[in-house]
Amino acid sequence: MDASTDRRPKGPGRPATAPPVARTTLQLRQAATSARRHSRPDPDKNPLREGLRLEQVPDPCAFVLFGATGDLAHRKVIPAIYQLWRTNLLPAEFSLVAVARRPYTNESFAAEIRASLEKYSRVQPIDEAAWAELAKRIVYHQLDFADDAAFDSLGTRLDELDKECGTAGNRLFYLATQPSQVTEIVRQMGRVGLDHEMRGGGWRRLVVEKPFGRDFESARLLNHEVNKVFRESQVYRIDHYLGKETVRNLLVFRFGNGIFEPVWNRSYVDHVQITVGESIGVEGRGAFYEETGASRDILQNHLLQLMTLVAMEPPSSFQADALRDQKLAVLRAICTPTPDEIKHEIVRGQYGPGWVEGEPVPGYRQEPEVDPESETETFVAGRFTIDDWRWSGVPFYLRAGKRLPKRATEIAIQFKEVPLRLFRDSAGDPAPNVLAMRIQPDEGIMLRFAAKVPGLGLDVRAVNMDFAYDTSFVVDSPDAYETLILDALLGDASLFTRADEVEAAWSVVTPIINAWAEQPAPHFPDYAAGSWGPETADQLIERDGRRWRRI
Ligand code: BG6
């Protein structure tokens, strides 16, 4: 990536010179934490690290986490912060300001976090020394989103922390709250002036979780409300798929290799399949999912984002806007499905009871907080086309579902058949080449091609050439949230979705959900948990003479 992701050691977290002699409380604290960091051997001097790039440390800052007592904060955001802290990727002058409604003290909230880390940190056991330092930086601020006085005092508290902890007026506001609370929180921030950046330093950034709106109009309105307070360049909309290592590798694969780009187009590609399969159900989120369904939960964001990365033109650089302009161009070129196409080329489904991974599981309508007559889709599949020079006429088949036989996210590029029937008389035809990118699990890339079976005859069979992350690289991949949080702290927005991108994605999905709202729902449930979705999904692709890949 460009200079903004050039993570060489620099920045205030790693001063080039020795820390000054400590005099004030602040200086004493900073010197202590610097000492912790600097007591480790200088990585620059370690010959084993030769050739490895080192990470850049963000500016001193306060990480203000709204919805700090919620599930997302505990499962994803806080473990990611701990992991960044543990690996010295956060500045010593850091505070984690947890904001939520329930009453806690700094200490009792830190104890809750500690218990969550025991459960959700991807690296165990917890590093006691690192945790002790992080725990000192946890501040709990009780606040009801409608309470003006509590917001005023949050502003004052953050100013005090700048003095006590050296956070220098830099603030990242992370909204891990209910989507419906975003407008009110942002309005309050604007009222108190929490968005105001300061001359000569003191940046303010806003991170917003998905779902961003529930259709085109609501997303536009939300963007309008957010942009009334924050400039677009201060806003970081999360789609955590963009932070996945294998998704980031798509750009390297496409643009860092000379041999794929020439065949990456309508002349060579027959079609593309993108699957986001999950074996889990709604996992206690029945009420949320009733309002969402697979099209809002996965199609509008994760699936369309994967599609843009496959289909985009090479950006002029990896600068955030250069990259996002190209993704936007794809989203705008996706043909909006007509009512007739929605009827025949986009299907929805809902799981009934069945067996997944050897266990009996209930149907969607039997899940807690789900209407026993629910018409919410837990599966969506569709055939989409892109009206541009590169992809015209190449179908992109997308599908996502809950309670499928396994967790598997994959992008498969199927190339055209060879033109000559040279192997008419052989046992077995050369099957078309397929390039399959396994996003998760078993991360890797497979290329299928034809080979001659050893023997006196001319038998042909498809064989696979496989690259697997776990055997090729000895390092663990970071969790997507670690990547995204670090990027937001560094001010690199390339892996975050811009307002116009979110709206363009909604303009593809909104006609579908509107048409479904007007049509009678299919006879739900229409697929058994543990199967690959309803028959209509197979018919959709088989009508074109193709089949879903067996994953
Ligand atoms: C979230 C959806 O965005 O992505 C969930 O709201 C889904 O319903 C999850 O389970 C899947 O993420 P991952 O990283 O497990 O593939």
Side-chain angles (χ1 to χ4, degrees), residues 210 240-241 244 278 280 285 297 302 402 407 440:
K210 75 169 262 280
H240 78 280
Y241 265 54
K244 289 183 189 278
E278 295 185 88
I280 55 170
R285 297 195 305 158
D297 192 36
H302 306 328
K402 296 235 181 243
R407 176 174 186 246
Q440 62 188 25

Side-chain angles (χ1 to χ4, degrees), residues 169-189:
N170 297 319
R171 286 157 204 178
L172 184 126
F173 299 102
Y174 194 112
L175 307 192
T177 55
Q178 301 290 339
S180 56
Q181 294 163 334
V182 171
T183 309
E184 177 62 3
I185 297 172
V186 169
R187 190 191 64 76
Q188 288 279 25
M189 285 181 179

